[in-house]
Amino acid sequence: MTIIKEITRDEPYLIINKPSGLPSAPLNENDRNNAFSIAAELFPELLNVTGRKEIEHGLLHRIDTETSGLLIIAATQDSYENLLQLQKENKIKKYYSALSNVDYENINKLGGFPSSDFVYCKNIKEYNLESYFRFFGEGRKCVRPVTKNSNGAALKKLGKPVLYNTNIKIVENSCDLIRIEACITNGFRHQVRCHLAWMGLPIIGDSLYNSNTDGEQLKFTASKIDINGKVFSL
């Protein structure tokens, strides 16, 4: 784990680069093998912040264990409240880099996806995907988009009645390998991973949303954060 931005008096929050394989947050008060707890050992003032979950303190958001990249942790209560308000106002943009392969049959193999107007086309370089989400599968490990085209059973399982948007830009395409930059403001669990699979661009190494993965490492990184116009990147 590396420090991207240290805590200062004027900007009392920390930005860290979490490696793949390390959880973002503790599972319980005794869990130390996670990005937040390691950061708190270096900066004990992080423990003075009360967040939405007591054990997560000022951790503003999480990224999946398999995903590497940037996390924001507030170091004071005022900073946490200010950052939370910026997030609610969509003034914190989170960017992700992904390497995907083209597989239009992927969602049929996985099941549970509604029909989509957002299908990858080589001549189109930018997409805006929008959906609700629901949990899916054994142990609710995955999510699925929910739209007006979803069946009645899916609509009944709808989680928060919030529309989530993912902006997708095609940075480079070479044969069937596509390099992508995705951007979100408000986020749901696995949002970008699920939305990319939905449009026929599952991320390489994604064991949950790519039906052709064979033990490859997840090619997905939280690469940049824009906090009300101030940008931090890897």
Side-chain angles (χ1 to χ4, degrees):
M1 191 184 79
T2 55
I3 307 300
I4 301 299
K5 178 204 169 294
E6 293 199 4
I7 299 163
T8 64
R9 186 175 68 176
D10 293 334
E11 294 178 330
Y13 58 88
L14 184 72
I15 296 181
I16 60 173
N17 178 18
K18 181 191 83 67
S20 173
L22 183 69
S24 295
L27 293 174
N28 54 62
E29 60 182 12
N30 297 316
D31 181 9
R32 297 291 180 267
N33 186 34
N34 60 83
F36 173 79
S37 296
I38 294 171
E41 289 181 5
L42 298 172
F43 303 95
E45 59 266 43
L46 299 178
L47 297 172
N48 296 328
V49 180
T50 302
R52 287 170 290 187
K53 291 187 177 181
E54 184 176 352
I55 59 174
E56 294 184 6
H57 297 276
L59 184 64
L60 195 70
H61 62 107
R62 290 179 286 175
I63 56 178
D64 302 325
T65 298
E66 304 95 329
T67 303
S68 61
L70 302 181
L71 288 170
I72 308 170
I73 310 175
T76 67
Q77 196 64 40
D78 283 347
S79 175
Y80 177 75
E81 300 297 339
N82 290 336
L83 288 167
L84 200 61
Q85 185 60 36
L86 287 174
Q87 187 164 260
K88 289 178 180 177
E89 295 172 359
N90 294 325
K91 292 180 179 178
I92 297 181
K93 298 177 182 178
K94 288 163 274 189
Y95 293 83
Y96 298 83
S97 299
L99 188 62
S100 295
N101 60 342
V102 181
D103 186 349
Y104 298 115
E105 297 300 318
N106 183 60
I107 62 172
N108 294 327
K109 297 172 188 175
L110 296 175
F113 284 83
S115 60
S116 172
D117 296 327
F118 310 105
V119 178
Y120 170 68
C121 175
K122 193 171 184 178
N123 296 325
I124 301 175
K125 301 301 182 184
E126 185 170 354
Y127 305 78
N128 282 294
L129 280 70
E130 189 174 65
S131 75
Y132 303 99
F133 280 102
R134 66 183 175 101
F135 292 104
F136 180 84
E138 184 179 354
R140 293 159 55 96
K141 291 181 180 179
C142 301
V143 300
R144 292 291 186 267
V146 179
T147 71
K148 62 182 181 181
N149 298 321
S150 297
N151 59 40
L155 289 167
K156 287 180 181 179
K157 296 177 182 177
L158 178 66
K160 294 180 180 179
V162 175
L163 278 172
Y164 294 90
N165 179 274
T166 305
N167 176 262
I168 305 291
K169 290 183 179 177
I170 308 302
V171 177
E172 178 184 356
N173 53 24
S174 175
C175 298
D176 286 342
L177 293 180
I178 314 296
R179 194 170 300 277
I180 291 162
E181 181 183 79
C183 179
I184 63 174
T185 51
N186 61 331
F188 197 86
R189 192 172 100 185
H190 301 169
Q191 176 177 330
V192 177
R193 295 165 63 182
C194 181
H195 270 171
L196 283 172
W198 192 31
M199 67 181 292
L201 294 178
I203 300 172
I204 293 172
D206 195 334
S207 60
L208 295 180
Y209 300 97
N210 190 334
S211 60
N212 294 317
T213 294
D214 187 20
E216 300 168 283
Q217 184 176 359
L218 180 67
K219 305 299 184 183
F220 188 54
T221 302
S223 54
K224 184 168 65 174
I225 291 176
D226 180 333
I227 302 176
N228 202 23
K230 187 159 189 174
V231 177
F232 303 90
S233 59
L234 294 176

